[in-house]
């Protein structure tokens, strides 16, 4: 049983920004927050390091011979520095030998996370202003993910000169130990072990991290299917985002305990594989989302109230839209001549849909259907050209 500050609304996560931004929602009252089940209570992870922004070095601090080309080096991407919090196992007799007594405080707030705003929750809005995406307040990464990448023969050399506990290479704010993407699921809620007497912080997982090309640059890997961006996207190894339900402090050595586990099916690794791990060669190379599962399961994913809108839910909605469009095209190509007339009425969208089917083709039937549609477009073009020639001849006479 955990004691956490009472929330004025439920923890169903239907509205992250509204729910988390009102400070009056976490005031005086206390409630008993029961661990949902044994599965939830079985998972804990420990904070190993906390990080904040680090400015790129100015020209006067750069070595002699430094050129503009050097700005694309790994040191110029996702620069971070360690926040030296007071460890949970701090021994005052050893303090002066390590970092003295000048410890820092890492306080995480709803919407913002660890101030100032980081790239991952800083959203531009019309008028040039910015607003925080509360469901991306904190970016976590785990030691287990780093170890999996270090042990991968394809990336061993890329981690030889990286000390991720000093300067993390995925741009994260918090590195933890004790979990990986196969264990964490959308909607999981974690509280600090020991409750408010230790820290009031409560967080909720909202999505895997979708890595960009900066991850390739940071690790010195190639773009495309052999890069670390592609690999971590496929297996959900690039970290994960959380919202902050209740503000609180984090320190090295704190343990976070899972107290809610509403969507055990939708682990970070499962979502990553379903949306990015089974893509066609083209989409695999471009790191674009593709859905080869059933429509019902895709709708189930979209309807997860805790899933972050940016990138993941947005991509899922676009995939559902394409699914419906492709279904219409398939129906048109296998129907009667009356259905073909519908294709004639809207040739552009039908043609695009046919090309999409060709790109996504997995069976001989898909290819045959697409050829029929494309052939019909050729027939329309020829028929239209012939009509225009006849009309010109009639006008000339």
């Amino acid at each position: 049983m955990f004691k956490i500050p009472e929330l004025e609304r439920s923890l169903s996560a239907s509205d992250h920004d509204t729910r988390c931004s009102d400070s009056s929602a976490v005031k005086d009252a206390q409630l008993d927050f029961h661990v949902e089940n044994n599965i939830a209570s079985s998972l804990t992870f420990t904070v190993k390091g906390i990080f904040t922004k680090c400015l790129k070095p100015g020209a006067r601090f750069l070595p002699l011979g430094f050129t503009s080309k050097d700005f694309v080096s790994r040191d110029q991407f996702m620069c971070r520095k360690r926040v030296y919090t007071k460890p949970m196992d701090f021994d005052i007799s050893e303090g002066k030998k390590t970092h003295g007594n000048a410890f820092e405080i890492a306080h995480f707030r709803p919407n913002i996370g660890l101030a100032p705003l980081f790239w991952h929750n800083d959203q531009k809005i019309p008028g040039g202003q910015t607003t925080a995406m509360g469901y991306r307040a904190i970016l976590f990464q785990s030691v287990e993910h780093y170890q999996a990448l270090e042990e991968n023969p394809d990336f061993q050399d890329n981690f030889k000169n990286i000390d991720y506990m000093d300067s993390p290479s995925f741009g994260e704010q918090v590195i933890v130990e004790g979990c990986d993407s196969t264990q964490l699921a959308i909607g999981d809620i974690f509280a600090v072990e020991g409750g408010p007497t230790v820290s009031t912080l409560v967080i909720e997982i909202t999505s895997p991290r979708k890595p960009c090309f900066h991850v390739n640059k940071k690790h010195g890997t190639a773009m495309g299917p052999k890069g670390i961006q592609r690999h971590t996207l496929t297996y959900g190894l690039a970290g994960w985002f959380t919202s902050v339900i209740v503000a609180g402090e984090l320190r090295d050595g704190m343990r976070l305990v899972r107290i809610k586990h509403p969507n055990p099916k939708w682990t970070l690794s499962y979502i990553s594989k379903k949306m990015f791990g089974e893509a066609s060669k083209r989409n695999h190379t471009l790191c674009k989302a593709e859905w080869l599962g059933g429509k019902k399961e895709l709708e189930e994913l979209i309807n997860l109230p805790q899933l972050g809108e940016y990138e993941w839910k947005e991509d899922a909605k676009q995939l559902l839209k394409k699914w419906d469009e492709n279904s219409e095209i398939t129906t048109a190509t296998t129907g009667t001549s009356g259905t073909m007339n519908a294709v004639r009425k809207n040739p552009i969208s039908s043609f695009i849909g046919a090309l999409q089917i060709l790109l996504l083709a997995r069976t001989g039937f898909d290819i045959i259907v697409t050829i029929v549609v494309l052939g019909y477009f050729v027939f329309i073009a020829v028929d239209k050209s012939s009509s225009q020639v006849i009309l010109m001849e009639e006008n000339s006479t």
Side-chain angles (χ1 to χ4, degrees):
M1 182 183 298
F2 294 85
K3 292 276 191 177
I4 67 171
E6 182 179 19
L7 302 181
E8 291 180 348
R9 17 173 99 220
S10 71
L11 294 178
S12 62
S14 60
D15 185 355
H16 289 284
D17 292 337
T18 305
R19 176 181 67 170
C20 297
S21 60
D22 184 4
S23 60
S24 65
V26 291
K27 284 189 176 177
D28 302 327
Q30 299 280 320
L31 68 89
D32 291 338
F33 202 103
H34 294 274
V35 174
E36 195 172 64
N37 51 44
N38 291 332
I39 295 177
S41 62
S42 64
L43 183 63
T44 64
F45 53 73
T46 305
V47 176
K48 304 301 290 185
I50 303 170
F51 306 86
T52 189
K53 289 181 179 180
C54 179
L55 296 177
K56 296 179 183 179
R60 65 184 183 278
F61 299 112
L62 298 176
L64 293 175
F66 193 89
T67 67
S68 59
K69 292 183 179 180
D70 294 314
F71 278 108
V72 298
S73 69
R74 63 173 59 182
D75 295 328
Q76 297 295 320
F77 290 91
M78 298 182 293
C79 301
R80 297 290 180 266
K81 64 179 180 179
R82 186 75 177 261
V83 177
Y84 288 95
T85 62
K86 184 177 181 180
M88 294 296 291
D89 58 353
F90 174 68
D91 183 347
I92 193 169
S93 64
E94 296 293 324
K96 292 183 179 181
K97 297 180 182 179
T98 55
H99 193 65
N101 295 318
F103 291 112
E104 301 169 276
I105 296 176
H107 188 77
F108 295 84
R109 295 182 289 167
N111 285 336
I112 296 176
L114 181 66
L117 283 177
F118 277 65
W119 57 270
H120 55 73
N121 66 335
D122 186 2
Q123 184 180 42
K124 301 294 183 183
I125 59 177
Q129 297 176 326
T130 60
T131 182
M133 293 181 284
Y135 50 87
R136 292 160 62 94
I138 310 176
L139 175 58
F140 282 82
Q141 181 59 295
S142 75
V143 171
E144 285 75 10
H145 289 176
Y146 274 114
Q147 290 174 342
L149 293 169
E150 287 177 323
E151 294 169 3
N152 188 314
D154 293 333
F155 306 119
Q156 285 179 344
D157 291 341
N158 304 101
F159 281 89
K160 283 184 176 179
N161 298 318
I162 293 180
D163 180 2
Y164 58 82
M165 290 308 302
D166 177 65
S167 179
S169 58
F170 283 90
E172 63 270 28
Q173 294 163 300
V174 184
I175 294 179
V176 298
E177 185 177 40
C179 64
D180 60 38
S181 61
T182 66
Q183 300 168 297
L184 303 169
I186 301 300
D188 282 359
I189 296 179
F190 286 81
V192 175
E193 187 178 64
T197 57
V198 179
S199 174
T200 56
L201 184 68
V202 180
I203 60 173
E204 180 178 62
I205 294 178
T206 58
S207 75
R209 185 268 187 87
K210 183 180 177 182
C212 65
F213 76 94
H214 284 180
V215 171
N216 284 329
K217 291 289 187 180
K218 189 72 173 179
H219 296 89
T221 60
M223 301 292 181
K226 294 185 178 181
I228 200 168
Q229 175 194 7
R230 175 69 258 181
H231 182 81
T232 55
L233 179 60
T234 299
Y235 297 102
L237 298 177
W240 63 94
F241 289 112
T242 76
S243 64
V244 176
I245 297 178
V246 182
E249 181 184 358
L250 273 184
R251 291 162 50 189
D252 292 357
M254 279 186 175
R255 290 165 55 87
L256 285 90
V257 184
R258 183 162 62 189
I259 55 178
K260 284 283 186 179
H261 190 45
N263 308 304
K265 169 186 173 180
W266 293 103
T267 63
L268 304 183
S269 60
Y270 184 75
I271 294 175
S272 299
K273 181 179 179 181
K274 295 296 290 187
M275 289 186 66
F276 294 98
E278 300 175 346
S280 62
K281 184 175 181 180
R282 173 180 176 275
N283 287 341
H284 186 84
T285 300
L286 298 176
C287 295
K288 287 191 174 183
E290 184 174 325
W291 189 265
L292 299 181
K295 181 179 180 181
K296 184 177 180 181
E297 188 177 34
L298 179 57
E299 292 174 334
E300 180 186 344
L301 174 62
I302 293 171
N303 291 327
L304 290 178
Q306 304 94 342
L307 181 65
E309 183 71 24
Y310 182 65
E311 294 180 333
W312 293 89
K313 188 167 286 191
E314 283 180 353
D315 281 359
K317 289 178 180 178
Q318 287 297 317
L319 290 170
L320 182 61
K321 182 179 178 181
K322 289 181 180 179
W323 181 291
D324 292 335
E325 291 174 351
N326 290 341
S327 297
E328 292 176 4
I329 296 300
T330 303
T331 302
T333 60
T334 57
T336 62
S337 59
T339 307
M340 282 299 192
N341 287 334
V343 176
R344 180 192 287 268
K345 291 179 181 179
N346 194 6
I348 296 177
S349 62
S350 300
F351 183 73
I352 293 174
L355 289 177
Q356 289 175 340
I357 293 177
L358 184 61
L359 290 172
L360 300 176
R362 284 292 185 275
T363 66
F365 176 76
D366 292 335
I367 296 174
I368 293 172
V369 166
T370 307
I371 292 174
V372 171
V373 174
L374 295 177
Y376 189 69
F377 281 114
V378 173
F379 169 77
I380 292 174
V382 173
D383 183 55
K384 186 175 181 180
S385 299
S386 300
S387 300
Q388 289 176 343
V389 171
I390 293 172
L391 182 60
M392 289 175 65
E393 290 177 350
E394 290 177 349
N395 290 337
S396 65
T397 57

